[in-house]
Each structure stands twice: as structure tokens, then as C-alpha cells.
Amino acid sequence: MVDYKKMYLTLFNATEDAINTMENVRQALIQAQRECEELYVSAEQDEESESGELTVLSAT
């Protein structure tokens, strides 16, 4: 006899693991993007302070 419960639980658990893994990857990418944005803003501020000019960044 086919054990449908075991088949279902196997697939369900694998699906949950995959979803959790994708969420972890998503969070890692968001964090990397934030870090890059901080580096960019810091570099822009450093350039402004070195040149004495004010650079206006437009938000789009």
C-alpha cells in the first residue's frame, strides 16, 4: 500500500526548507544592498568634504 502521508510530509518538509532557504538568501541580498548604499553615501560624503562642494542627490 502506498504511504501517502509519508509522501506528503516528505514533500511538505522539503518545500518548507526551500522557502526558508530562499528567505535567508533574500535577507542576505537586502543586507548586502544596504551595506553598498552606506558605502556609496559615505564615499559621496567623503568626496564632498574633500572638495568643499555640496552634492545634492535626488531621490527617485
Side-chain angles (χ1 to χ4, degrees):
M1 182 171 189
V2 177
D3 188 350
Y4 290 104
K5 182 177 180 178
K6 184 176 181 179
M7 289 170 37
Y8 171 80
L9 291 175
T10 299
L11 183 58
F12 180 84
N13 289 331
T15 301
E16 285 294 310
D17 290 345
I19 290 169
N20 291 333
T21 298
M22 289 189 303
E23 181 59 25
N24 291 339
V25 169
R26 180 180 166 277
Q27 290 299 322
L29 290 171
I30 289 170
Q31 183 60 36
Q33 180 182 13
R34 288 179 180 157
E35 290 175 20
C36 289
E37 290 169 351
E38 288 293 325
L39 290 168
Y40 177 81
V41 169
S42 293
E44 287 289 313
Q45 290 172 348
D46 289 346
E47 286 180 13
E48 288 173 11
S49 63
E50 288 174 4
S51 67
E53 297 177 12
L54 177 63
T55 303
V56 177
L57 299 175
S58 63
T60 53

